[in-house]
């Protein structure tokens, strides 16, 4: 069983890394890019004997406590087969 | 119009960052996590006057030339409304 976790900055939080990428991309001549925000993406391989509800609970806890900083970041968990 | 770009290391490429996270997570007591690989995630705001095919072409080019290193990384582009 696999899980995917997406971690993104909350909407109001400044993203200097994204701004820097956007600036570089503009100077490379991309004219239709209005904004870029960077997030993190984790692919997690889980014990195959876990049932989906336990897997989701465990990965939600991992995302909240370890992978994301809930003060400034949002996270989203997807469980795949 | 918005685009999402996922950048992940190709399957055979070592991911020391993911390994380090996995090791920390194990020492925190998570017993059902078999492996973690970290990737990058970009949310891109595009000029709303672009048609979808142009938007996809432009973001594919951006992903290939700027956001990913195609020697060691795969990328995937999704265009959303």
């Amino acid at each position: 069983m696999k899980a995917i976790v997406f971690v993104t900055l909350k909407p109001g939080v400044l993203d200097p890394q994204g701004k820097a990428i956007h600036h570089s991309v503009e100077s490379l001549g991309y004219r239709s890019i209005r904004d870029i925000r960077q997030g993190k993406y984790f692919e997690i391989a889980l014990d195959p004997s876990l049932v989906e509800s336990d897997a989701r609970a465990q990965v939600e806890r991992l995302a909240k406590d370890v992978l994301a900083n809930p003060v400034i970041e949002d996270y989203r968990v997807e469980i795949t087969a």
Side-chain angles (χ1 to χ4, degrees), chain A:
Chain A
M1 190 175 280
K2 264 182 56 180
I4 306 286
V5 178
F6 303 89
V7 176
T8 50
L9 285 167
K10 284 181 193 281
V13 178
L14 285 177
D15 177 9
Q17 191 173 10
K19 282 276 169 294
I21 298 167
H22 184 212
H23 184 73
S24 301
V25 160
E26 274 190 327
S27 54
L28 286 168
Y30 292 85
R31 292 278 167 254
S32 311
I33 312 285
R34 288 282 174 271
D35 190 33
I36 298 184
R37 287 176 77 83
Q38 179 163 10
K40 286 175 281 186
Y41 171 87
F42 301 91
E43 289 179 351
I44 300 172
L46 294 159
D47 188 331
S49 66
L50 273 184
V51 297
E52 179 167 337
S53 58
D54 288 352
R56 179 172 294 277
Q58 183 144 167
V59 175
E60 289 269 354
R61 190 161 62 91
L62 176 70
K64 180 161 164 272
D65 292 349
V66 183
L67 302 179
N69 173 356
V71 177
I72 57 167
E73 290 172 326
D74 289 325
Y75 59 89
R76 185 158 57 84
V77 172
E78 281 177 15
I79 305 288
T80 61

